[in-house]
Amino acid sequence: MPLQVRDYSWQQTKTAVFISVPLRGVCIREADVFCTENYLKVNFAPFLFEVFLYAPIDDENSKAKIGNDTIVFTLHKKEAVMWETLSVSGVDKEMMQKIREKSVLQAQEKAKEAIEAKAATRREDQKYALNVMMKIEEEERKKIECMKENERIKATKELEAWKTCQRKAEEQKRIQRKEKLHQQERPIEEEKKKLKHKSLTGNSTSRNIATKGRNSENIFSEKLKEDSIPAPRSVGSIKINFTPRAFPTALRESQVAEEEEWLHKQAEARRAMNTDIPELRDLKEEEKNPEWLKDKGNKLFATENYLAAINAYNLAIRLNNKIPLLYLNRAACHLKLKNLHKAIEDSSKAYRIMKLHLRLIHPTKLYKMMLRRFGI
């Protein structure tokens, strides 16, 4: 059974009520304070203090201070009037119970409204944060798109400028060729005019001098033919360099027939290039050679630029997919980049191509040949 606290004191002004409730040993952790606009209760075992207020108060702005075995309440009135008493007089038990229940319901509704308001505030904050993030992302996306567009415009301008320079260079070369041809044709035209003039002069002379007859005319025509014959070509010499043997091994260790067949098949494979690739239109003639691309990929591999080396090997394979060394070099690049699956795939392709080319050679001899060929 709780002990009702009755030795409290209170004071008031027109706007506030001050209540001092002495509770021995009271602390913030164990005191249960419940306050609504018409009801005030403090439960601190074994003490109980409750008041059914004379007029409604502003429970949201009211305060309670706990300390020194006392609880001091500062209750703000809703109406600025002086109260006759602190609690309502003539309240029976049934009325007290109704006031308690009503106060509990009011407190629950306020708590529910506070929770809903807090949730709504949280949702608004989340919505605001989401909108801010979306705006930031949209600005970043627009910035990136603008950078891409600027780079595209810049690249397009550079390409157009390059094409213009190429056209001007081609036009200049065409004009130079025309001028050169015109200069070469000018002496020929002059020579033709001279010959024509000589022939006309000879004909008139043959008409005037009839005593020399037909023989003189034949002699003159033969002289004209001798004058029109060009001088013989000058003597020169042509130096021929033979390609060194690709398998510099002793005759007792090499298989000449198989090696020659290997070289023949490699030469046929290099000649069977794909020339309908769009990337080859802007390349020079030597850049369309798989061997040149292979050497370029090897140089890039030596400088540890593995991605560029892979691009060079890719284009070389598109030109000629029957050279196993291209697959082996590309597998080495993938191995450096830790692309193990691609390295295994390229190695398998190279093995299948070499197996098709050298199916008649003994595996041990084939292994030695490949070691010497690729410098391993």
Side-chain angles (χ1 to χ4, degrees), residues 140-173:
E140 291 293 331
R141 187 184 64 78
K142 288 182 180 179
K143 185 177 179 181
I144 293 172
E145 292 294 333
C146 183
M147 291 174 63
K148 289 182 178 179
E149 185 66 19
N150 293 334
E151 290 295 329
R152 187 187 66 78
I153 293 172
K154 183 179 177 182
T156 304
K157 290 181 178 179
E158 291 178 355
L159 181 61
E160 291 296 331
W162 179 81
K163 288 182 179 179
T164 304
C165 293
Q166 291 294 112
R167 285 195 295 269
K168 289 182 179 179
E170 292 292 333
E171 187 67 23
Q172 188 174 3
K173 289 181 180 179

PDB file of all heavy atoms in Angstrom, residues 140-173:
ATOM      1  N   GLU A 140      26.718  16.008 -61.390  1.00  0.00           N
ATOM      2  CA  GLU A 140      27.920  15.266 -61.786  1.00  0.00           C
ATOM      3  C   GLU A 140      27.746  14.624 -63.152  1.00  0.00           C
ATOM      4  O   GLU A 140      28.661  14.632 -63.988  1.00  0.00           O
ATOM      5  CB  GLU A 140      28.240  14.197 -60.731  1.00  0.00           C
ATOM      6  CG  GLU A 140      28.720  14.762 -59.404  1.00  0.00           C
ATOM      7  CD  GLU A 140      30.073  15.436 -59.524  1.00  0.00           C
ATOM      8  OE1 GLU A 140      30.855  15.019 -60.394  1.00  0.00           O
ATOM      9  OE2 GLU A 140      30.342  16.375 -58.752  1.00  0.00           O
ATOM     10  N   ARG A 141      26.540  14.056 -63.374  1.00  0.00           N
ATOM     11  CA  ARG A 141      26.284  13.415 -64.669  1.00  0.00           C
ATOM     12  C   ARG A 141      26.328  14.440 -65.803  1.00  0.00           C
ATOM     13  O   ARG A 141      26.921  14.201 -66.860  1.00  0.00           O
ATOM     14  CB  ARG A 141      24.922  12.733 -64.644  1.00  0.00           C
ATOM     15  CG  ARG A 141      24.618  11.888 -65.875  1.00  0.00           C
ATOM     16  CD  ARG A 141      23.227  11.336 -65.813  1.00  0.00           C
ATOM     17  NE  ARG A 141      22.237  12.385 -65.847  1.00  0.00           N
ATOM     18  CZ  ARG A 141      21.856  13.030 -66.957  1.00  0.00           C
ATOM     19  NH1 ARG A 141      22.382  12.713 -68.142  1.00  0.00           N
ATOM     20  NH2 ARG A 141      20.941  13.971 -66.908  1.00  0.00           N
ATOM     21  N   LYS A 142      25.695  15.621 -65.554  1.00  0.00           N
ATOM     22  CA  LYS A 142      25.734  16.658 -66.579  1.00  0.00           C
ATOM     23  C   LYS A 142      27.162  17.137 -66.821  1.00  0.00           C
ATOM     24  O   LYS A 142      27.557  17.399 -67.960  1.00  0.00           O
ATOM     25  CB  LYS A 142      24.858  17.837 -66.145  1.00  0.00           C
ATOM     26  CG  LYS A 142      23.365  17.541 -66.210  1.00  0.00           C
ATOM     27  CD  LYS A 142      22.563  18.765 -65.809  1.00  0.00           C
ATOM     28  CE  LYS A 142      21.059  18.474 -65.883  1.00  0.00           C
ATOM     29  NZ  LYS A 142      20.256  19.658 -65.473  1.00  0.00           N
ATOM     30  N   LYS A 143      27.934  17.227 -65.736  1.00  0.00           N
ATOM     31  CA  LYS A 143      29.322  17.642 -65.876  1.00  0.00           C
ATOM     32  C   LYS A 143      30.105  16.645 -66.712  1.00  0.00           C
ATOM     33  O   LYS A 143      30.884  17.016 -67.602  1.00  0.00           O
ATOM     34  CB  LYS A 143      29.941  17.789 -64.489  1.00  0.00           C
ATOM     35  CG  LYS A 143      31.349  18.345 -64.493  1.00  0.00           C
ATOM     36  CD  LYS A 143      31.857  18.527 -63.074  1.00  0.00           C
ATOM     37  CE  LYS A 143      33.287  19.061 -63.061  1.00  0.00           C
ATOM     38  NZ  LYS A 143      33.793  19.216 -61.670  1.00  0.00           N
ATOM     39  N   ILE A 144      29.886  15.347 -66.422  1.00  0.00           N
ATOM     40  CA  ILE A 144      30.588  14.298 -67.179  1.00  0.00           C
ATOM     41  C   ILE A 144      30.149  14.314 -68.637  1.00  0.00           C
ATOM     42  O   ILE A 144      30.975  14.193 -69.564  1.00  0.00           O
ATOM     43  CB  ILE A 144      30.343  12.926 -66.530  1.00  0.00           C
ATOM     44  CG1 ILE A 144      31.019  12.867 -65.147  1.00  0.00           C
ATOM     45  CG2 ILE A 144      30.873  11.805 -67.417  1.00  0.00           C
ATOM     46  CD1 ILE A 144      30.668  11.640 -64.352  1.00  0.00           C
ATOM     47  N   GLU A 145      28.814  14.462 -68.861  1.00  0.00           N
ATOM     48  CA  GLU A 145      28.321  14.514 -70.233  1.00  0.00           C
ATOM     49  C   GLU A 145      28.894  15.717 -70.974  1.00  0.00           C
ATOM     50  O   GLU A 145      29.238  15.626 -72.157  1.00  0.00           O
ATOM     51  CB  GLU A 145      26.790  14.574 -70.226  1.00  0.00           C
ATOM     52  CG  GLU A 145      26.096  13.303 -69.744  1.00  0.00           C
ATOM     53  CD  GLU A 145      26.329  12.156 -70.700  1.00  0.00           C
ATOM     54  OE1 GLU A 145      26.539  12.413 -71.899  1.00  0.00           O
ATOM     55  OE2 GLU A 145      26.298  10.993 -70.246  1.00  0.00           O
ATOM     56  N   CYS A 146      28.991  16.843 -70.268  1.00  0.00           N
ATOM     57  CA  CYS A 146      29.569  18.042 -70.892  1.00  0.00           C
ATOM     58  C   CYS A 146      31.041  17.817 -71.248  1.00  0.00           C
ATOM     59  O   CYS A 146      31.496  18.203 -72.332  1.00  0.00           O
ATOM     60  CB  CYS A 146      29.414  19.223 -69.951  1.00  0.00           C
ATOM     61  SG  CYS A 146      30.009  20.797 -70.632  1.00  0.00           S
ATOM     62  N   MET A 147      31.781  17.169 -70.327  1.00  0.00           N
ATOM     63  CA  MET A 147      33.180  16.870 -70.619  1.00  0.00           C
ATOM     64  C   MET A 147      33.301  15.935 -71.819  1.00  0.00           C
ATOM     65  O   MET A 147      34.153  16.133 -72.697  1.00  0.00           O
ATOM     66  CB  MET A 147      33.830  16.256 -69.386  1.00  0.00           C
ATOM     67  CG  MET A 147      34.003  17.212 -68.220  1.00  0.00           C
ATOM     68  SD  MET A 147      34.621  16.417 -66.732  1.00  0.00           S
ATOM     69  CE  MET A 147      36.217  15.864 -67.303  1.00  0.00           C
ATOM     70  N   LYS A 148      32.422  14.908 -71.852  1.00  0.00           N
ATOM     71  CA  LYS A 148      32.445  13.981 -72.990  1.00  0.00           C
ATOM     72  C   LYS A 148      32.141  14.710 -74.291  1.00  0.00           C
ATOM     73  O   LYS A 148      32.792  14.483 -75.316  1.00  0.00           O
ATOM     74  CB  LYS A 148      31.440  12.850 -72.764  1.00  0.00           C
ATOM     75  CG  LYS A 148      31.835  11.853 -71.695  1.00  0.00           C
ATOM     76  CD  LYS A 148      30.798  10.755 -71.605  1.00  0.00           C
ATOM     77  CE  LYS A 148      31.189   9.710 -70.562  1.00  0.00           C
ATOM     78  NZ  LYS A 148      30.161   8.643 -70.456  1.00  0.00           N
ATOM     79  N   GLU A 149      31.123  15.596 -74.240  1.00  0.00           N
ATOM     80  CA  GLU A 149      30.757  16.322 -75.454  1.00  0.00           C
ATOM     81  C   GLU A 149      31.888  17.235 -75.910  1.00  0.00           C
ATOM     82  O   GLU A 149      32.189  17.332 -77.114  1.00  0.00           O
ATOM     83  CB  GLU A 149      29.489  17.136 -75.176  1.00  0.00           C
ATOM     84  CG  GLU A 149      28.924  17.852 -76.387  1.00  0.00           C
ATOM     85  CD  GLU A 149      28.416  16.904 -77.453  1.00  0.00           C
ATOM     86  OE1 GLU A 149      28.156  15.721 -77.130  1.00  0.00           O
ATOM     87  OE2 GLU A 149      28.290  17.346 -78.614  1.00  0.00           O
ATOM     88  N   ASN A 150      32.534  17.900 -74.934  1.00  0.00           N
ATOM     89  CA  ASN A 150      33.661  18.764 -75.292  1.00  0.00           C
ATOM     90  C   ASN A 150      34.808  17.958 -75.901  1.00  0.00           C
ATOM     91  O   ASN A 150      35.429  18.381 -76.889  1.00  0.00           O
ATOM     92  CB  ASN A 150      34.141  19.522 -74.059  1.00  0.00           C
ATOM     93  CG  ASN A 150      33.123  20.529 -73.564  1.00  0.00           C
ATOM     94  OD1 ASN A 150      32.304  21.008 -74.346  1.00  0.00           O
ATOM     95  ND2 ASN A 150      33.165  20.842 -72.284  1.00  0.00           N
ATOM     96  N   GLU A 151      35.085  16.780 -75.295  1.00  0.00           N
ATOM     97  CA  GLU A 151      36.149  15.933 -75.850  1.00  0.00           C
ATOM     98  C   GLU A 151      35.777  15.430 -77.237  1.00  0.00           C
ATOM     99  O   GLU A 151      36.625  15.360 -78.135  1.00  0.00           O
ATOM    100  CB  GLU A 151      36.399  14.749 -74.907  1.00  0.00           C
ATOM    101  CG  GLU A 151      37.054  15.127 -73.592  1.00  0.00           C
ATOM    102  CD  GLU A 151      38.452  15.675 -73.793  1.00  0.00           C
ATOM    103  OE1 GLU A 151      39.120  15.250 -74.752  1.00  0.00           O
ATOM    104  OE2 GLU A 151      38.870  16.531 -72.999  1.00  0.00           O
ATOM    105  N   ARG A 152      34.475  15.090 -77.413  1.00  0.00           N
ATOM    106  CA  ARG A 152      34.048  14.627 -78.739  1.00  0.00           C
ATOM    107  C   ARG A 152      34.180  15.731 -79.779  1.00  0.00           C
ATOM    108  O   ARG A 152      34.670  15.507 -80.900  1.00  0.00           O
ATOM    109  CB  ARG A 152      32.600  14.155 -78.667  1.00  0.00           C
ATOM    110  CG  ARG A 152      32.095  13.492 -79.944  1.00  0.00           C
ATOM    111  CD  ARG A 152      30.621  13.212 -79.845  1.00  0.00           C
ATOM    112  NE  ARG A 152      29.856  14.441 -79.782  1.00  0.00           N
ATOM    113  CZ  ARG A 152      29.578  15.201 -80.845  1.00  0.00           C
ATOM    114  NH1 ARG A 152      30.003  14.857 -82.052  1.00  0.00           N
ATOM    115  NH2 ARG A 152      28.876  16.304 -80.709  1.00  0.00           N
ATOM    116  N   ILE A 153      33.757  16.963 -79.390  1.00  0.00           N
ATOM    117  CA  ILE A 153      33.868  18.087 -80.321  1.00  0.00           C
ATOM    118  C   ILE A 153      35.331  18.366 -80.641  1.00  0.00           C
ATOM    119  O   ILE A 153      35.709  18.612 -81.794  1.00  0.00           O
ATOM    120  CB  ILE A 153      33.180  19.328 -79.718  1.00  0.00           C
ATOM    121  CG1 ILE A 153      31.668  19.096 -79.622  1.00  0.00           C
ATOM    122  CG2 ILE A 153      33.482  20.558 -80.556  1.00  0.00           C
ATOM    123  CD1 ILE A 153      30.930  20.178 -78.870  1.00  0.00           C
ATOM    124  N   LYS A 154      36.178  18.308 -79.593  1.00  0.00           N
ATOM    125  CA  LYS A 154      37.604  18.551 -79.803  1.00  0.00           C
ATOM    126  C   LYS A 154      38.200  17.500 -80.732  1.00  0.00           C
ATOM    127  O   LYS A 154      38.954  17.829 -81.669  1.00  0.00           O
ATOM    128  CB  LYS A 154      38.308  18.534 -78.457  1.00  0.00           C
ATOM    129  CG  LYS A 154      39.794  18.838 -78.537  1.00  0.00           C
ATOM    130  CD  LYS A 154      40.418  18.834 -77.158  1.00  0.00           C
ATOM    131  CE  LYS A 154      41.929  19.072 -77.228  1.00  0.00           C
ATOM    132  NZ  LYS A 154      42.543  19.028 -75.881  1.00  0.00           N
ATOM    133  N   ALA A 155      37.860  16.215 -80.464  1.00  0.00           N
ATOM    134  CA  ALA A 155      38.383  15.146 -81.324  1.00  0.00           C
ATOM    135  C   ALA A 155      37.868  15.282 -82.757  1.00  0.00           C
ATOM    136  O   ALA A 155      38.605  15.056 -83.721  1.00  0.00           O
ATOM    137  CB  ALA A 155      37.996  13.786 -80.748  1.00  0.00           C
ATOM    138  N   THR A 156      36.585  15.684 -82.886  1.00  0.00           N
ATOM    139  CA  THR A 156      36.025  15.858 -84.228  1.00  0.00           C
ATOM    140  C   THR A 156      36.733  16.982 -84.972  1.00  0.00           C
ATOM    141  O   THR A 156      37.051  16.860 -86.164  1.00  0.00           O
ATOM    142  CB  THR A 156      34.527  16.169 -84.126  1.00  0.00           C
ATOM    143  OG1 THR A 156      33.876  15.124 -83.391  1.00  0.00           O
ATOM    144  CG2 THR A 156      33.902  16.263 -85.502  1.00  0.00           C
ATOM    145  N   LYS A 157      36.998  18.086 -84.252  1.00  0.00           N
ATOM    146  CA  LYS A 157      37.708  19.191 -84.884  1.00  0.00           C
ATOM    147  C   LYS A 157      39.116  18.781 -85.299  1.00  0.00           C
ATOM    148  O   LYS A 157      39.580  19.109 -86.402  1.00  0.00           O
ATOM    149  CB  LYS A 157      37.766  20.380 -83.937  1.00  0.00           C
ATOM    150  CG  LYS A 157      36.424  21.055 -83.726  1.00  0.00           C
ATOM    151  CD  LYS A 157      36.565  22.253 -82.787  1.00  0.00           C
ATOM    152  CE  LYS A 157      35.230  22.964 -82.594  1.00  0.00           C
ATOM    153  NZ  LYS A 157      35.340  24.113 -81.668  1.00  0.00           N
ATOM    154  N   GLU A 158      39.799  18.050 -84.410  1.00  0.00           N
ATOM    155  CA  GLU A 158      41.145  17.598 -84.760  1.00  0.00           C
ATOM    156  C   GLU A 158      41.120  16.662 -85.962  1.00  0.00           C
ATOM    157  O   GLU A 158      41.990  16.745 -86.846  1.00  0.00           O
ATOM    158  CB  GLU A 158      41.766  16.895 -83.558  1.00  0.00           C
ATOM    159  CG  GLU A 158      42.091  17.838 -82.392  1.00  0.00           C
ATOM    160  CD  GLU A 158      42.658  17.108 -81.211  1.00  0.00           C
ATOM    161  OE1 GLU A 158      42.713  15.856 -81.270  1.00  0.00           O
ATOM    162  OE2 GLU A 158      43.068  17.766 -80.231  1.00  0.00           O
ATOM    163  N   LEU A 159      40.100  15.770 -85.986  1.00  0.00           N
ATOM    164  CA  LEU A 159      39.992  14.851 -87.123  1.00  0.00           C
ATOM    165  C   LEU A 159      39.704  15.605 -88.416  1.00  0.00           C
ATOM    166  O   LEU A 159      40.290  15.305 -89.471  1.00  0.00           O
ATOM    167  CB  LEU A 159      38.890  13.826 -86.844  1.00  0.00           C
ATOM    168  CG  LEU A 159      38.656  12.759 -87.916  1.00  0.00           C
ATOM    169  CD1 LEU A 159      39.910  11.932 -88.120  1.00  0.00           C
ATOM    170  CD2 LEU A 159      37.486  11.864 -87.534  1.00  0.00           C
ATOM    171  N   GLU A 160      38.797  16.587 -88.339  1.00  0.00           N
ATOM    172  CA  GLU A 160      38.503  17.377 -89.535  1.00  0.00           C
ATOM    173  C   GLU A 160      39.730  18.159 -89.995  1.00  0.00           C
ATOM    174  O   GLU A 160      39.999  18.276 -91.190  1.00  0.00           O
ATOM    175  CB  GLU A 160      37.344  18.334 -89.240  1.00  0.00           C
ATOM    176  CG  GLU A 160      35.990  17.647 -89.034  1.00  0.00           C
ATOM    177  CD  GLU A 160      35.526  16.938 -90.285  1.00  0.00           C
ATOM    178  OE1 GLU A 160      35.885  17.384 -91.394  1.00  0.00           O
ATOM    179  OE2 GLU A 160      34.816  15.920 -90.155  1.00  0.00           O
ATOM    180  N   ALA A 161      40.473  18.721 -89.007  1.00  0.00           N
ATOM    181  CA  ALA A 161      41.690  19.444 -89.381  1.00  0.00           C
ATOM    182  C   ALA A 161      42.698  18.514 -90.043  1.00  0.00           C
ATOM    183  O   ALA A 161      43.355  18.878 -91.039  1.00  0.00           O
ATOM    184  CB  ALA A 161      42.287  20.104 -88.139  1.00  0.00           C
ATOM    185  N   TRP A 162      42.819  17.297 -89.480  1.00  0.00           N
ATOM    186  CA  TRP A 162      43.752  16.322 -90.074  1.00  0.00           C
ATOM    187  C   TRP A 162      43.311  15.950 -91.487  1.00  0.00           C
ATOM    188  O   TRP A 162      44.135  15.857 -92.412  1.00  0.00           O
ATOM    189  CB  TRP A 162      43.821  15.103 -89.179  1.00  0.00           C
ATOM    190  CG  TRP A 162      44.728  14.040 -89.708  1.00  0.00           C
ATOM    191  CD1 TRP A 162      46.080  13.963 -89.621  1.00  0.00           C
ATOM    192  CD2 TRP A 162      44.312  12.871 -90.443  1.00  0.00           C
ATOM    193  NE1 TRP A 162      46.556  12.851 -90.232  1.00  0.00           N
ATOM    194  CE2 TRP A 162      45.497  12.145 -90.758  1.00  0.00           C
ATOM    195  CE3 TRP A 162      43.099  12.372 -90.864  1.00  0.00           C
ATOM    196  CZ2 TRP A 162      45.461  10.967 -91.463  1.00  0.00           C
ATOM    197  CZ3 TRP A 162      43.066  11.179 -91.566  1.00  0.00           C
ATOM    198  CH2 TRP A 162      44.236  10.497 -91.862  1.00  0.00           C
ATOM    199  N   LYS A 163      41.987  15.725 -91.657  1.00  0.00           N
ATOM    200  CA  LYS A 163      41.489  15.383 -92.991  1.00  0.00           C
ATOM    201  C   LYS A 163      41.726  16.535 -93.970  1.00  0.00           C
ATOM    202  O   LYS A 163      42.081  16.307 -95.133  1.00  0.00           O
ATOM    203  CB  LYS A 163      39.997  15.059 -92.920  1.00  0.00           C
ATOM    204  CG  LYS A 163      39.686  13.724 -92.258  1.00  0.00           C
ATOM    205  CD  LYS A 163      38.189  13.457 -92.274  1.00  0.00           C
ATOM    206  CE  LYS A 163      37.878  12.112 -91.648  1.00  0.00           C
ATOM    207  NZ  LYS A 163      36.405  11.845 -91.641  1.00  0.00           N
ATOM    208  N   THR A 164      41.531  17.775 -93.487  1.00  0.00           N
ATOM    209  CA  THR A 164      41.771  18.932 -94.352  1.00  0.00           C
ATOM    210  C   THR A 164      43.245  19.006 -94.777  1.00  0.00           C
ATOM    211  O   THR A 164      43.562  19.266 -95.947  1.00  0.00           O
ATOM    212  CB  THR A 164      41.361  20.215 -93.620  1.00  0.00           C
ATOM    213  OG1 THR A 164      39.997  20.105 -93.206  1.00  0.00           O
ATOM    214  CG2 THR A 164      41.524  21.419 -94.519  1.00  0.00           C
ATOM    215  N   CYS A 165      44.127  18.774 -93.791  1.00  0.00           N
ATOM    216  CA  CYS A 165      45.559  18.762 -94.126  1.00  0.00           C
ATOM    217  C   CYS A 165      45.893  17.660 -95.120  1.00  0.00           C
ATOM    218  O   CYS A 165      46.690  17.867 -96.053  1.00  0.00           O
ATOM    219  CB  CYS A 165      46.385  18.599 -92.855  1.00  0.00           C
ATOM    220  SG  CYS A 165      46.295  20.009 -91.728  1.00  0.00           S
ATOM    221  N   GLN A 166      45.272  16.492 -94.920  1.00  0.00           N
ATOM    222  CA  GLN A 166      45.524  15.390 -95.852  1.00  0.00           C
ATOM    223  C   GLN A 166      45.028  15.741 -97.252  1.00  0.00           C
ATOM    224  O   GLN A 166      45.708  15.466 -98.249  1.00  0.00           O
ATOM    225  CB  GLN A 166      44.834  14.116 -95.347  1.00  0.00           C
ATOM    226  CG  GLN A 166      45.451  13.517 -94.088  1.00  0.00           C
ATOM    227  CD  GLN A 166      46.856  13.013 -94.353  1.00  0.00           C
ATOM    228  OE1 GLN A 166      47.823  13.560 -93.851  1.00  0.00           O
ATOM    229  NE2 GLN A 166      46.973  11.980 -95.138  1.00  0.00           N
ATOM    230  N   ARG A 167      43.824  16.349 -97.314  1.00  0.00           N
ATOM    231  CA  ARG A 167      43.309  16.718 -98.634  1.00  0.00           C
ATOM    232  C   ARG A 167      44.198  17.759 -99.302  1.00  0.00           C
ATOM    233  O   ARG A 167      44.462  17.694-100.508  1.00  0.00           O
ATOM    234  CB  ARG A 167      41.877  17.249 -98.490  1.00  0.00           C
ATOM    235  CG  ARG A 167      40.843  16.167 -98.246  1.00  0.00           C
ATOM    236  CD  ARG A 167      39.442  16.694 -98.478  1.00  0.00           C
ATOM    237  NE  ARG A 167      39.083  17.726 -97.521  1.00  0.00           N
ATOM    238  CZ  ARG A 167      38.476  17.499 -96.369  1.00  0.00           C
ATOM    239  NH1 ARG A 167      38.157  16.257 -96.029  1.00  0.00           N
ATOM    240  NH2 ARG A 167      38.166  18.476 -95.553  1.00  0.00           N
ATOM    241  N   LYS A 168      44.651  18.741 -98.496  1.00  0.00           N
ATOM    242  CA  LYS A 168      45.544  19.751 -99.072  1.00  0.00           C
ATOM    243  C   LYS A 168      46.840  19.133 -99.554  1.00  0.00           C
ATOM    244  O   LYS A 168      47.353  19.480-100.637  1.00  0.00           O
ATOM    245  CB  LYS A 168      45.838  20.825 -98.023  1.00  0.00           C
ATOM    246  CG  LYS A 168      44.645  21.719 -97.723  1.00  0.00           C
ATOM    247  CD  LYS A 168      45.025  22.785 -96.711  1.00  0.00           C
ATOM    248  CE  LYS A 168      43.848  23.703 -96.409  1.00  0.00           C
ATOM    249  NZ  LYS A 168      44.198  24.739 -95.410  1.00  0.00           N
ATOM    250  N   ALA A 169      47.379  18.180 -98.743  1.00  0.00           N
ATOM    251  CA  ALA A 169      48.614  17.520 -99.156  1.00  0.00           C
ATOM    252  C   ALA A 169      48.407  16.713-100.441  1.00  0.00           C
ATOM    253  O   ALA A 169      49.244  16.752-101.358  1.00  0.00           O
ATOM    254  CB  ALA A 169      49.129  16.627 -98.033  1.00  0.00           C
ATOM    255  N   GLU A 170      47.255  15.991-100.498  1.00  0.00           N
ATOM    256  CA  GLU A 170      46.974  15.217-101.707  1.00  0.00           C
ATOM    257  C   GLU A 170      46.792  16.130-102.909  1.00  0.00           C
ATOM    258  O   GLU A 170      47.265  15.828-104.021  1.00  0.00           O
ATOM    259  CB  GLU A 170      45.709  14.360-101.483  1.00  0.00           C
ATOM    260  CG  GLU A 170      45.885  13.239-100.478  1.00  0.00           C
ATOM    261  CD  GLU A 170      46.835  12.177-100.990  1.00  0.00           C
ATOM    262  OE1 GLU A 170      46.950  12.024-102.230  1.00  0.00           O
ATOM    263  OE2 GLU A 170      47.463  11.511-100.151  1.00  0.00           O
ATOM    264  N   GLU A 171      46.097  17.260-102.699  1.00  0.00           N
ATOM    265  CA  GLU A 171      45.893  18.200-103.801  1.00  0.00           C
ATOM    266  C   GLU A 171      47.224  18.786-104.265  1.00  0.00           C
ATOM    267  O   GLU A 171      47.475  18.945-105.478  1.00  0.00           O
ATOM    268  CB  GLU A 171      44.956  19.320-103.324  1.00  0.00           C
ATOM    269  CG  GLU A 171      44.524  20.262-104.419  1.00  0.00           C
ATOM    270  CD  GLU A 171      43.635  19.599-105.451  1.00  0.00           C
ATOM    271  OE1 GLU A 171      43.001  18.579-105.112  1.00  0.00           O
ATOM    272  OE2 GLU A 171      43.594  20.095-106.596  1.00  0.00           O
ATOM    273  N   GLN A 172      48.088  19.096-103.278  1.00  0.00           N
ATOM    274  CA  GLN A 172      49.398  19.631-103.646  1.00  0.00           C
ATOM    275  C   GLN A 172      50.217  18.599-104.411  1.00  0.00           C
ATOM    276  O   GLN A 172      50.893  18.932-105.404  1.00  0.00           O
ATOM    277  CB  GLN A 172      50.131  20.082-102.389  1.00  0.00           C
ATOM    278  CG  GLN A 172      51.414  20.837-102.666  1.00  0.00           C
ATOM    279  CD  GLN A 172      52.041  21.387-101.408  1.00  0.00           C
ATOM    280  OE1 GLN A 172      51.525  21.155-100.319  1.00  0.00           O
ATOM    281  NE2 GLN A 172      53.143  22.102-101.532  1.00  0.00           N
ATOM    282  N   LYS A 173      50.161  17.339-103.949  1.00  0.00           N
ATOM    283  CA  LYS A 173      50.881  16.288-104.684  1.00  0.00           C
ATOM    284  C   LYS A 173      50.324  16.122-106.097  1.00  0.00           C
ATOM    285  O   LYS A 173      51.078  15.927-107.054  1.00  0.00           O
ATOM    286  CB  LYS A 173      50.769  14.976-103.917  1.00  0.00           C
ATOM    287  CG  LYS A 173      51.582  14.937-102.633  1.00  0.00           C
ATOM    288  CD  LYS A 173      51.423  13.597-101.960  1.00  0.00           C
ATOM    289  CE  LYS A 173      52.238  13.539-100.657  1.00  0.00           C
ATOM    290  NZ  LYS A 173      52.068  12.228 -99.976  1.00  0.00           N
TER     291      LYS A 173
END
